[in-house]
Amino acid sequence: MCTVAFVPLSTGGYLLGHNRDERPTRRAGEAPRLLEGARCRAIAPRDPDAGGTWIALNEAGVTVCVLNAAEASPARLPSKPRSRGLLVRDLACVRGIDDARVWLEEAREVLDWTRAFHLVAVEPGSRTGRARVARFRWDGLEADWENGDGPTLFVSSLLQPTEVERERSARWRTRAEAGPIDAGGLAAFLAGHEPVRGPLSVCMHRDQAGTVSRTLVEVTRSTAVMRYLPGPPCQAGTEVEARLPLSPASSRSTG
């Protein structure tokens, strides 16, 4: 269960917002910091339960994040499946969507013992080309990719999946048609309760689960910023900010 929103910027950079929906029994995530042992400079929050993360941003300006998904064949899984959050750590240093695609296509053995998921990868563009986004979907049996370069919403929900996607997508279309979306507008969308506060709203609330944090990524010409808000985004909280200077090649690519 999660909501991810992507907005390309005119300079080749982008905004990405991620609402993490989880059960209240999970321990609270830890604020973003440099990933230990990574082959590159990358920042990510941390899941203390499994040691992985749900979103990572690296010095190439690439973001990778994960959403939960429904299993096509639950019986295929081992007794102790691998955490989906470890996939984000595995992919934290990819230089773009193509790198992520190659890794996932060659990692079938890893996927076989990982729960179903959607993985979103975003790469910055250039002065003449927009940032791009792609989603990899794995249901435990089959995989597919979809790509785009316009404002895009990705939604996953294990309960009422059709209703949740329809309602949140309608809200996103309304917001996108209203005009350009900046970081403040994206944060406001992720905190929204339309049509009512509950399981269908972007900031999700129900008895067994809810939105437990919001992560906002902004990549510009020279800097990548991750702003992490613990707790439901509809509530006042203390935002934690982590920054990465982009590597020289990435700085040129974002204009």
Side-chain angles (χ1 to χ4, degrees):
M1 300 167 286
C2 288
T3 301
V4 174
F6 163 74
V7 181
L9 301 176
S10 60
T11 59
Y14 64 88
L15 299 170
L16 185 81
H18 184 294
N19 272 4
R20 184 189 184 207
D21 301 340
E22 281 291 353
R23 300 182 305 274
T25 53
R26 292 184 71 100
R27 288 190 288 169
E30 299 173 1
R33 63 189 183 203
L34 284 172
L35 274 177
E36 297 178 2
R39 306 181 312 277
C40 68
R41 288 177 59 83
I43 51 178
R46 181 177 180 274
D47 172 16
D49 287 328
T53 183
W54 54 97
I55 185 168
L57 167 65
N58 68 35
E59 63 188 350
V62 175
T63 299
V64 177
C65 61
V66 70
L67 302 85
N68 294 350
E71 287 288 342
S73 178
R76 73 172 180 92
L77 289 167
S79 58
K80 294 184 179 180
R82 189 171 190 257
S83 169
R84 288 169 278 222
L86 296 177
L87 283 170
V88 180
R89 287 190 61 97
D90 293 337
L91 289 160
C93 289
V94 296
R95 305 296 291 183
I97 291 171
D98 290 342
D99 280 358
R101 182 191 297 269
V102 169
W103 193 96
L104 287 163
E105 289 175 349
E106 295 178 350
R108 181 56 188 263
E109 184 176 346
V110 175
L111 301 189
D112 284 342
W113 41 290
T114 302
R115 295 185 190 278
F117 65 89
H118 296 179
L119 186 131
V120 174
V122 184
E123 65 181 25
S126 64
R127 290 183 186 274
T128 57
R130 298 211 292 183
R132 296 195 303 146
V133 62
R135 174 167 61 172
F136 175 84
R137 292 186 287 195
W138 168 248
D139 67 3
L141 298 178
E142 298 181 354
D144 68 82
W145 280 90
E146 58 180 314
N147 301 280
D149 62 1
T152 310
L153 188 75
F154 303 101
V155 177
S156 74
S157 177
L158 303 185
L159 294 177
Q160 298 178 273
T162 302
E163 296 87 345
V164 169
E165 181 155 12
R166 181 175 60 240
E167 184 58 48
R168 296 182 192 174
S169 296
R171 300 299 164 185
W172 178 248
R173 287 193 297 271
T174 298
R175 180 60 191 87
E177 291 168 358
I181 304 172
D182 59 13
L186 183 54
F189 172 79
L190 294 170
H193 286 152
E194 295 82 3
V196 295
R197 181 184 187 274
L200 303 185
S201 55
V202 176
C203 181
M204 194 268 283
H205 301 266
R206 58 182 175 84
D207 292 341
Q208 297 81 19
T211 302
V212 298
S213 68
R214 183 226 71 204
T215 307
L216 188 65
V217 170
E218 183 172 7
V219 173
T220 61
R221 293 183 177 182
S222 59
T223 305
V225 183
M226 180 177 283
R227 300 182 178 95
Y228 175 72
L229 184 67
C234 61
Q235 299 178 7
T238 302
E239 191 176 71
V240 179
E241 181 177 290
R243 288 177 173 265
L244 275 181
L246 296 185
S247 61
S250 300
S251 296
R252 289 194 297 272
S253 70
T254 55

